[in-house]
Coordinates of all heavy atoms in Angstrom, one line a residue:
Chain Z
E45 N -3.4 3.7 -4.9 CA -4.5 4.6 -4.8 C -5.6 3.7 -4.3 O -6.0 2.8 -4.9 CB -4.8 5.3 -6.1 CG -6.2 6.0 -6.2 CD -6.4 6.3 -7.6 OE1 -5.9 5.7 -8.5 OE2 -7.6 7.0 -7.8
L46 N -6.3 4.0 -3.2 CA -7.5 3.3 -2.8 C -8.6 3.3 -3.7 O -9.1 4.4 -4.1 CB -7.9 3.7 -1.3 CG -9.1 2.9 -0.7 CD1 -8.6 1.5 -0.5 CD2 -9.5 3.7 0.6
L47 N -9.0 2.2 -4.1 CA -10.3 2.0 -5.1 C -11.5 1.8 -4.2 O -12.5 2.4 -4.5 CB -10.0 0.9 -6.1 CG -9.2 1.2 -7.3 CD1 -9.1 -0.1 -8.1 CD2 -9.7 2.3 -8.0
M48 N -11.4 0.7 -3.4 CA -12.8 0.3 -2.7 C -12.4 -0.5 -1.5 O -11.3 -1.1 -1.5 CB -13.6 -0.7 -3.7 CG -14.0 0.0 -4.9 SD -15.0 -1.3 -5.9 CE -16.5 -1.4 -4.8
Y49 N -13.3 -0.6 -0.6 CA -13.1 -1.4 0.6 C -14.4 -2.0 1.0 O -15.5 -1.5 0.8 CB -12.4 -0.7 1.8 CG -13.2 0.3 2.4 CD1 -14.1 0.1 3.4 CD2 -13.0 1.7 2.1 CE1 -14.9 1.0 4.0 CE2 -13.7 2.6 2.7 CZ -14.7 2.4 3.6 OH -15.4 3.3 4.1
T50 N -14.4 -3.3 1.5 CA -15.6 -3.9 2.0 C -15.3 -4.5 3.4 O -14.0 -4.7 3.8 CB -16.0 -5.1 1.1 OG1 -14.9 -5.9 0.9 CG2 -16.3 -4.5 -0.2
Y51 N -16.3 -4.6 4.2 CA -16.2 -5.0 5.5 C -16.7 -6.5 5.8 O -16.5 -7.0 6.7 CB -16.8 -4.1 6.6 CG -16.5 -4.3 7.9 CD1 -15.2 -3.9 8.5 CD2 -17.3 -5.0 8.8 CE1 -14.8 -4.2 9.8 CE2 -17.0 -5.3 10.1 CZ -15.7 -4.9 10.6 OH -15.4 -5.1 11.9
S52 N -17.5 -6.9 4.8 CA -18.2 -8.2 5.0 C -18.2 -9.0 3.7 O -17.9 -8.5 2.7 CB -19.6 -8.0 5.6 OG -20.4 -7.2 4.7
S53 N -18.8 -10.1 3.8 CA -19.1 -11.0 2.6 C -20.2 -10.2 1.7 O -21.0 -9.6 2.4 CB -19.6 -12.4 3.0 OG -18.5 -13.1 3.5
G54 N -20.1 -10.6 0.5 CA -21.0 -9.9 -0.5 C -20.5 -9.0 -1.5 O -19.2 -9.1 -1.7
N55 N -21.2 -8.3 -2.1 CA -20.8 -7.4 -3.2 C -20.9 -5.9 -2.8 O -21.8 -5.5 -2.0 CB -21.5 -7.7 -4.4 CG -21.4 -9.0 -4.9 OD1 -20.5 -9.8 -4.6 ND2 -22.1 -9.3 -6.1
K56 N -20.0 -5.1 -3.4 CA -19.9 -3.7 -3.3 C -19.7 -3.1 -4.7 O -18.6 -3.4 -5.2 CB -19.1 -3.1 -2.3 CG -19.2 -1.7 -2.0 CD -18.2 -1.3 -0.9 CE -18.2 0.3 -0.6 NZ -17.3 0.6 0.5

Side-chain angles (χ1 to χ4, degrees):
Chain Z
E45 170 195 8
L46 179 66
L47 280 176
M48 300 179 68
Y49 64 86
T50 55
Y51 192 76
S52 60
S53 285
N55 293 356
K56 182 176 181 180

